[in-house]
């Protein structure tokens, strides 16, 4: 008896469908990085603790090291590579969360940054944007992601900065 251990799936990432053949046990994080070459998604702990591998699946933050690639077939996946948009002048416009990280010096080595960016984007889109963000909300949004470098103060500052920008209507 032969065991079918691979599947043909379509992974739609940042709006682009990709047809890939993956082992059924391939993690979404590995499929993104190794099959699709999207290495912006980082892998740290590989067991759901650090949040570095966070991507959005149908708009919700998911730890891609805890999800199988085959489970993501049929969903819209967004990675850090899809955050910036075309500025219409041949360049790119950073997402407000990326801009806030730049403004607030919210990264050092940058290893954790893609996971924070995706987590914060989802958290800020999920809240009532007309209200000023509270410290409790900031802690809630970033509390599940680990950073070994920054001490979190500037990351939290960036969340407040991005929340204010998004409150003013920028994405
Ligand atoms: S690599 Fe996925 S949570 Fe750490
Ligand atoms: S900036 Fe280095 S781990 Fe967060």
């Amino acid at each position: 008896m032969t065991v079918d251990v691979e599947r043909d799936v379509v992974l739609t990432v940042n709006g682009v469908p990709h047809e890939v053949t993956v082992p059924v046990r391939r993690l979404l994080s590995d499929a993104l990085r190794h099959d699709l070459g999207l290495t912006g998604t980082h892998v740290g702990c590989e067991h759901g603790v650090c949040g570095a591998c966070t991507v959005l699946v149908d708009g919700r933050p998911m730890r891609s090291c805890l999800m199988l690639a085959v489970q993501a077939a049929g969903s819209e996946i967004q990675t850090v590579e899809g955050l910036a948009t075309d500025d219409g002048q041949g360049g790119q416009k950073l997402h407000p969360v990326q801009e806030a990280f730049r403004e607030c010096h919210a990264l050092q080595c940058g290893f954790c940054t893609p996971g924070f960016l995706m987590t914060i984007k989802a958290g800020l889109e999920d809240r009532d944007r007309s209200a000023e963000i509270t410290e409790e909300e900031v802690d809630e949004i970033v509390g599940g992601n680990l950073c070994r470098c920054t001490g979190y103060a500037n990351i939290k500052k960036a969340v407040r900065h991005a929340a204010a920008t998004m409150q003013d209507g920028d994405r």
Side-chain angles (χ1 to χ4, degrees), residues 106-113 116 146-150 155:
L107 64 140
Q108 289 184 29
C109 79
F111 189 84
C112 67
T113 308
F116 269 101
L146 299 179
C147 173
R148 291 190 223 185
C149 303
T150 66
I155 292 176

Side-chain angles (χ1 to χ4, degrees), residues 77-121:
I77 303 161
Q78 191 180 22
T79 68
V80 70
E81 288 92 346
L83 274 187
T85 50
D86 193 337
D87 69 358
Q89 300 174 336
Q92 288 203 311
K93 180 175 169 16
L94 294 179
H95 186 277
V97 181
Q98 292 175 303
E99 190 59 42
F101 265 59
R102 192 183 67 78
E103 280 282 322
C104 301
H105 307 289
L107 64 140
Q108 289 184 29
C109 79
F111 189 84
C112 67
T113 308
F116 269 101
L117 292 173
M118 302 316 289
T119 303
I120 294 165
K121 175 185 189 282

Side-chain angles (χ1 to χ4, degrees), residues 3-63:
V3 179
D4 184 10
V5 292
E6 293 191 330
R7 290 279 186 284
D8 296 328
V9 292
V10 177
L11 296 176
T12 303
V13 187
N14 303 323
V16 180
H18 301 267
E19 291 179 24
V20 284
T21 303
V22 289
V24 291
R25 291 171 61 84
R26 171 87 90 233
L27 297 171
L28 177 58
S29 51
D30 289 338
L32 290 171
R33 290 177 56 82
H34 303 306
D35 295 307
L36 303 186
L38 294 170
T39 53
T41 298
H42 291 170
V43 174
C45 66
E46 295 185 86
H47 58 271
V49 174
C50 72
C53 66
T54 303
V55 299
L56 304 189
V57 178
D58 294 331
R60 301 187 58 206
M62 299 292 293
R63 304 205 159 190

Side-chain angles (χ1 to χ4, degrees), residues 147-160:
C147 173
R148 291 190 223 185
C149 303
T150 66
Y152 301 98
N154 284 4
I155 292 176
K156 290 166 69 172
K157 192 170 157 192
V159 177
R160 292 191 292 272

